[in-house]
Amino acid sequence: PAPADPAIAYINNSNLMVMNADGSNQTVIATADNAYSIKYPSWSPDAHSIVFCGTIGGLRGMWIVGVSVVNGKITVSNLHRVTINLIGNPAWTKWSPVGDQIVFVNLAPNVNDPNIYLIPSTGGTPTVVYTAATTGPSPTSAGCEFPTFNRDATKLVFIEVSDGVNAPRNLNVFDLGTRAVTTVVPFGSNLGERTLAWSRNGDRIAYAY
């Protein structure tokens, strides 16, 4: 079935916006301090909230904002910064399809953080669920990108960049229950813009590399 409106969250310069599936009812949800500093919007499974990363009021971090429709008008509520007990900047936020957790990567200043984290949607202490390989000569260059839940939130797909200039890069699937990791596509040492997404029914993965 078609998603309920507002159906689409998107970024326009310094604004996080939503709109109906037909492009109507375009509404500003949040405004960042600087153009293009808002990134990685992700709907909650009940479609009542959006998590995103950005700098608002001089505070950089992970934010959640409520979105509802009142008398046909999109209404914003409870914009708040999620408390994360880490030094760094969250990135690639994705809400769990189950609704209780958010997955993210921490872009730490000066040193890359090789971990993928889960945090309750209410904030708190993040839990490390996976750590990129850091066995080479440049351990600070290891990291993970685009962690994304599958349909039932039992697995994560992500891109792993091991440490070192010529380190391997892989598209991995990680089982949150067994902690088993499977390399689905080995990219070798090729560089390039990367992104990925899991299909809605969970049987396929689309990626660009």
Side-chain angles (χ1 to χ4, degrees):
D5 288 325
I8 300 170
Y10 63 102
I11 299 165
N12 182 19
N13 291 327
S14 59
N15 296 318
L16 173 64
M17 304 186 68
V18 296
M19 66 181 177
N20 294 349
D22 62 2
S24 63
N25 219 4
Q26 298 178 17
T27 304
V28 175
I29 299 300
T31 300
D33 294 356
N34 304 298
Y36 308 111
S37 67
I38 285 184
K39 297 180 179 179
Y40 319 117
S42 176
W43 287 99
S44 62
D46 62 8
H48 291 159
S49 301
I50 297 172
V51 63
F52 63 96
C53 301
T55 303
I56 299 176
L59 296 175
R60 187 172 184 176
M62 182 189 301
W63 298 79
I64 291 178
V65 61
V67 183
S68 58
V69 179
V70 180
N71 296 324
K73 182 179 180 181
I74 295 174
T75 303
V76 181
S77 63
N78 193 26
L79 173 65
H80 64 280
R81 187 167 175 255
V82 179
T83 301
I84 300 175
N85 300 321
L86 291 173
I87 297 175
N89 304 306
W92 292 300
T93 45
K94 290 285 186 181
W95 214 308
S96 164
V98 177
D100 58 337
Q101 298 185 100
I102 295 167
V103 65
F104 71 98
V105 172
N106 179 42
L107 300 182
N110 303 319
V111 177
N112 288 340
D113 188 329
N115 299 313
I116 296 176
Y117 294 91
L118 290 177
I119 189 171
S121 56
T122 54
T125 302
T127 301
V128 176
V129 294
Y130 185 82
T131 302
T134 56
T135 57
S138 303
T140 59
S141 66
C144 300
E145 301 173 348
F146 304 102
T148 305
F149 289 100
N150 68 337
R151 181 180 182 178
D152 60 4
T154 60
K155 298 178 181 179
L156 290 169
V157 62
F158 63 95
I159 292 175
E160 177 180 12
V161 180
S162 300
D163 57 312
V165 176
N166 297 313
R169 292 158 171 79
N170 298 315
L171 190 155
N172 294 337
V173 170
F174 180 72
D175 190 303
L176 291 166
T178 66
R179 293 298 196 260
V181 59
T182 302
T183 296
V184 180
V185 182
F187 296 124
S189 59
N190 295 320
L191 297 173
E193 186 67 24
R194 302 175 286 271
T195 187
L196 56 82
W198 216 305
S199 67
R200 289 181 67 184
N201 62 6
D203 66 337
R204 286 166 293 172
I205 298 166
Y207 68 95
Y209 190 84

